[in-house]
Amino acid sequence: MSGSNSMWGGRFAEGPAAVMREINASIPFDKRMWRQDIAGSKAHVAMLAQQGIVSAHDAATIDAGLDRVAADYAAHGVAEDLALEDIHMQTEARLAEAIGPVAGRLHTARSRNDQVATDFRLWVRDAIDQTLVALDALRVALLTRAEEHAASVMPGFTHLQSAQPVTLGHHLMAYVEMASRDVSRFRDARARMNLCPLGSAALAGTGFPLDRAATAAALGFDGPTRNSLDAVSDRDFAIDYLTAAVQCALHLSRLAEEFVLWASQPFGFVALSDQWSTGSSIMPQKRNPDAAELVRGHAGRIMGCMTSLMVTMKGLPLAYSKDMQDDKPPVFECHDLLGLSIAAMTGMVESATFRTDRMRALAESGFATATDFADWLVREAGLPFREAHHVTGRAVKRAEELGVRLDELPFAEFQAIDARVNEALYDVLSVDASVASRTSFGGTAPANVRAAIAAARETMR
């Protein structure tokens, strides 16, 4: 017996009752939804009065009491009383303390099942709205720096090998495109989730003559949900939010990785502000891109949040199951991490010092205009591209042997490789000429970059 009782100690000294009380309670985390819980309750009681289900006097008393409870929460926080389990019971108990037995009328024609489904939708909707504001700030920061560097030449990479010259502005605009798709995904998720579960009750609806459209409108929803079973058991809206957040975190992580690489001495493309980097405890010369590395790390945790909720939901029959109490912690964690990551990347983009001299030097050193040579042979000398590719390869090899850039290779060397070459070739071999020539829609030419910036700003109005 002593062995079986050894587990009951510390906070579980009361035995199974203590374990059950703690595992059953969600108040330590769902207290974050107190504003949404108050808003849902105020809309519900207003509708009950409108429909004659409770008296106007009782509804006014309850509404005023809810304001008192909300003021107390705002001033002192929400107490974590495990005996009251969750934010809904906590609020009802505080309301009863404030106004007496009439508080019991608030729960008429609703269940904690439709109540939590409504509160959680409201919370996720607010989270999306906050994320959209943050993403707009990131896009503005990227657009500002892209405009500043619309013509700043840097090496473009494939396989992390120098490929063709691009502009830094064009590179930064790629992340504007990613952030814009993130905005679109969050907006889609918000539009799809914007139906109100309140009035679905436990799972089957209610016999009271509710006006579900009125509560939906009062809470800013487009209308009520159409099936009570689905309404109380649906967490697609949370998964939609997490899915959009994961994609956004992946984009932030890619940008963070660029900053980590670019800030390293072998690249030397960027110097991060002291605000967004730290020193070493032992090596005084170092400036570590800690904020970028943490953004990169947070992406993995955000992916874990999505996986957690999906695995929780994958085997649940209709309608509500207590497993769904675990839906909120991963969403709350994701929101905190994503908001922090967006803010950190915005700050890094705004304050970074881009070393465009270093970028240009590396763009010029890696035979990055070889494709321009091949294209010139196709256009001006009429060679098939595959033959032009081989001719260019021989020219690159010869430039390597002589230790010169492609645009520094003597004309006699080009002619020895292929007699169809003429001196007009040199007009396309500089990195500036290369980027200026990329005028196809979506290309890196500075004029294109500036037009893309203007178009992006117009869509954000």
Side-chain angles (χ1 to χ4, degrees), residues 41 68 110 151 240 351 400:
S41 292
R68 289 169 60 186
R110 77 175 182 185
D240 278 353
S351 62
E400 285 180 327

Side-chain angles (χ1 to χ4, degrees), residues 325-396:
Q325 182 168 287
D326 283 339
D327 57 359
K328 285 168 283 296
V331 173
F332 294 163
E333 180 183 7
C334 169
H335 178 63
D336 293 346
L337 292 172
L338 186 64
L340 196 57
S341 295
I342 297 172
M345 288 314 307
T346 302
M348 277 184 271
V349 169
E350 288 174 338
S351 62
T353 300
F354 293 107
R355 295 186 54 196
T356 53
D357 56 338
R358 173 70 174 166
M359 292 180 177
R360 170 177 283 273
L362 287 184
E364 292 176 337
S365 68
F367 306 109
T369 58
T371 304
D372 297 274
F373 179 24
D375 289 346
W376 183 90
L377 289 169
V378 171
R379 286 195 314 268
E380 304 299 327
L383 275 67
F385 183 80
R386 283 298 163 210
E387 183 180 352
H389 187 278
H390 293 311
V391 171
T392 302
R394 293 199 298 272
V396 168

